[in-house]
Amino acid sequence: MPTEQRLVPSGADETADAAARGERQAAERRSGWAALRPLVLRLHFYAGVLVAPFLLVAAVTGLLYAASFQAEKVLYAHELSVPAGGRALPLAQQVAKARAAHPEGAVAAVRPAPEPGDTTRVLLSGAPGVPEDHQLAVFVDPHTGEVRGALQTYGSTGALPLRTWLDSLHRDLHLGENGRLYSELAASWLWVVAGGGLALWIGRKRTRRTVRALALPDRTATGRRRTRSWHGAVGVWAAGGLFFLSATGLTWSGYAGAHIDALRRSLGQATPSVSTALTVHAADPGNTGHHSHHGGAGGMPGMPGTGGQQGGASSGSATDVGVDRVLAAARAEGLSSPVEIDLPTAKGTAYVVKQVGRSWPEKQDSVAVDPATGRVTDVSRFADYPVLAKLTRYGIDLHTGTLFGLANQIVLAALALALVFLILWGYRMWWQRRPTRGRALSFGRPVPRGAWRRVPLPVLLPLVCGVAAVGWAMPLLGVSLVGFLLVDVVLGVLGHRRRAAAPAD
């Protein structure tokens, strides 16, 4: 988001800008900001000009994604909603109805209808034409057993095709892993651009440090000063949200996200999960039952086998108690709707019933259930999560618009629109700073080079070390920053050669 550059403005703004600049320079000489401001200004300019296109794409696609939640309810109303009826059919019977209509693939999970008027989802993996990381969701009326349709679904939030498509557009532009570089680059620079702009705006306004001067645009300004006023005021309001979007977006990025995950694990702050392994009591060799990690009693051994994968969800056989008893065991442990029941993936593993509610308050408890006995063998409570695991969960759900529902989505849309306007105002300021005589099609120039030479050494050395550490933690930020420096050096050398050759012409 490019902002004001140190060039002599043209037009009616010249006198006012000269006076304001004189006051600002006098104040800067009395502070340490004088040395850092040109450096921050140049970085803000380069990032605004060169990174802003990536930020603009991220903002527009994020705006579309924020609107997809409500659009999904309208577009897929037939599959998602049914008339609220009386008593629901047994869950196993609903699964059987889904399998009769869609025998392809294998039953991987079941999501019972969470509220009256909602449908049950039977999730199939390995269905023909469905990508490996997606599932086919068969929607069943829980009261009548009518199959309302089938749609591909993705992720733990159960995103349907529209939201899945927009999510991929926002994340990687439908370009796969290579496309994720764009979103990570945008997230890596967003906090730098927002922080630099905020520092420049507050530094400019410190002689008039009032709420109005900082947070409201100057309605009396004209031309470039008016654009800058809107750019700065909206940036102040949006800065906190932009910092948040940058931080949370990095948590599941490719390179920076891996570093964050490794840090969390090293601090013992990884997200816990229930154990699906079914083991025998070591203290009683004669006991062939399964033990609970939390003291549950054992029972007769049994394996879900192929029945557990496809027919076992409704079989209720001696080796698989079926999904209704599994759900009842989870309810007894306090797992309220919405939940998902994941079927055993192999012999010797348990069912996993997990809460999938991402709205406040978070519902993220999960239990493992022995398919042979219907007893709970392990429990994971969201209340027991490490602090960073909880914060990560909250941050991701806020970023994706699920934590506070519609209000969350409206705030995300407002932030996305604010970022779009900030970028457009930044480019407009760049255009308005262009020379107006002789080169009508030229653009504004950045602050002169060499600003780092004026930074005191006691400040410069820690600054370089800090930038190096941040560049290591966020590799795309570090690589692109080095690229900016190289481009700047090349442009400086070319400019020097042109100036040296000018007298010979």
Side-chain angles (χ1 to χ4, degrees):
M1 287 168 280
T3 187
E4 179 216 5
Q5 312 304 325
R6 290 193 171 184
L7 297 174
V8 177
S10 59
D13 298 333
E14 183 175 357
T15 302
D17 270 5
R21 186 164 58 250
E23 293 178 7
R24 184 174 65 254
Q25 289 173 347
E28 285 173 352
R29 282 191 290 269
R30 297 190 295 269
S31 70
W33 177 241
L36 283 177
R37 184 179 182 277
L39 193 61
V40 174
L41 184 57
R42 189 164 182 81
L43 179 64
H44 190 66
F45 174 85
Y46 263 116
V49 171
L50 300 177
V51 180
F54 297 96
L55 292 172
L56 184 61
V57 172
V60 172
T61 56
L63 176 63
L64 294 174
Y65 181 80
S68 68
F69 290 89
Q70 304 307 315
E72 202 173 55
K73 294 178 182 179
V74 176
L75 186 60
Y76 305 117
H78 178 75
E79 289 83 3
L80 295 173
S81 304
V82 293
R87 186 173 181 179
L89 297 173
L91 195 56
Q93 190 172 340
Q94 298 179 49
V95 175
K97 294 286 187 180
R99 294 301 282 151
H102 292 273
E104 64 271 24
V107 178
V110 183
R111 289 194 176 191
E115 300 287 346
D118 292 338
T119 52
T120 293
R121 298 190 191 189
V122 179
L123 304 177
L124 309 179
S125 62
V130 178
E132 186 177 353
D133 57 345
H134 290 58
Q135 293 176 319
L136 183 67
V138 182
F139 299 86
V140 182
D141 186 331
H143 309 294
T144 66
E146 175 194 0
V147 174
R148 305 279 290 181
L151 296 167
Q152 289 188 26
T153 184
Y154 174 78
S156 58
T157 60
L160 297 178
L162 173 64
R163 185 151 53 98
T164 299
W165 192 88
L166 290 174
D167 174 53
S168 179
L169 181 67
H170 179 62
R171 183 178 64 249
D172 58 26
L173 301 178
H174 295 284
L175 298 175
E177 286 301 311
N178 291 332
R180 292 182 67 185
L181 297 176
Y182 117 83
S183 58
E184 184 169 353
L185 181 68
S188 298
W189 275 98
L190 180 56
W191 68 275
V192 178
V193 176
L198 188 63
L200 291 169
W201 184 247
I202 293 176
R204 162 176 286 278
K205 293 295 183 181
R206 67 183 169 284
T207 57
R208 294 186 297 127
R209 195 172 291 169
T210 64
V211 172
R212 179 175 181 81
L214 288 174
L216 296 177
D218 185 356
R219 296 182 180 180
T220 64
T222 58
R224 181 178 54 80
R225 290 181 64 241
R226 180 180 178 84
T227 306
R228 185 184 62 217
S229 177
W230 278 98
H231 182 85
V234 173
V236 167
W237 285 98
L242 298 181
F243 289 144
F244 170 80
L245 291 178
S246 175
T248 52
L250 287 171
T251 57
W252 69 87
S253 62
Y255 297 102
H259 288 162
I260 294 172
D261 187 60
L263 176 62
R264 285 177 53 204
R265 291 181 183 278
S266 68
L267 296 174
Q269 297 287 308
T271 301
S273 61
V274 294
S275 171
T276 60
L278 300 175
T279 57
V280 178
H281 282 295
D284 184 2
N287 189 347
T288 58
H290 300 81
H291 81 87
S292 167
H293 291 228
H294 294 265
M300 293 299 293
M303 300 297 178
T306 57
Q309 288 296 325
Q310 298 193 38
S314 56
S315 67
S317 66
T319 57
D320 193 326
V321 298
V323 290
D324 288 284
R325 281 189 58 183
V326 169
L327 179 59
R331 297 295 193 210
E333 288 289 340
L335 271 68
S336 58
S337 294
V339 298
E340 177 178 298
I341 306 169
D342 293 342
L343 273 64
T345 57
K347 291 183 178 181
T349 60
Y351 282 89
V352 173
V353 185
K354 55 190 178 185
Q355 291 180 307
V356 292
R358 295 291 181 80
S359 58
W360 183 267
E362 290 271 4
K363 294 183 178 181
Q364 296 295 306
D365 293 353
S366 57
V367 299
V369 181
D370 188 333
T373 66
R375 295 182 183 274
V376 172
T377 61
D378 197 13
V379 178
S380 174
R381 302 289 185 188
F382 184 71
D384 298 329
Y385 277 23
V387 173
L388 290 184
K390 284 183 178 180
L391 292 177
T392 300
R393 180 76 273 153
Y394 290 139
I396 290 175
D397 292 342
L398 270 172
H399 188 111
T400 56
T402 58
L403 189 59
F404 295 112
L406 180 60
N408 196 165
Q409 294 147 26
I410 291 174
V411 171
L412 288 176
L415 280 174
L417 282 173
L419 182 54
V420 168
F421 279 107
L422 288 170
I423 293 169
L424 296 180
W425 282 325
Y427 277 118
R428 178 169 174 77
M429 283 190 291
W430 186 31
W431 172 255
Q432 288 175 322
R433 285 206 67 89
R434 74 194 189 282
T436 56
R437 296 180 181 178
R439 299 180 61 191
L441 295 180
S442 62
F443 295 97
R445 296 186 298 270
V447 70
R449 295 179 178 85
W452 64 272
R453 297 190 186 96
R454 295 194 291 273
V455 179
L457 195 60
V459 176
L460 183 61
L461 290 179
L463 182 64
V464 170
C465 293
V467 170
V470 171
W472 174 85
M474 292 178 280
L476 289 190
L477 175 63
V479 170
S480 56
L481 181 58
V482 170
F484 289 172
L485 293 176
L486 292 176
V487 169
D488 199 36
V489 169
V490 170
L491 292 177
V493 171
L494 293 177
H496 178 74
R497 289 180 177 178
R498 283 196 299 268
R499 288 191 297 270
D505 293 338

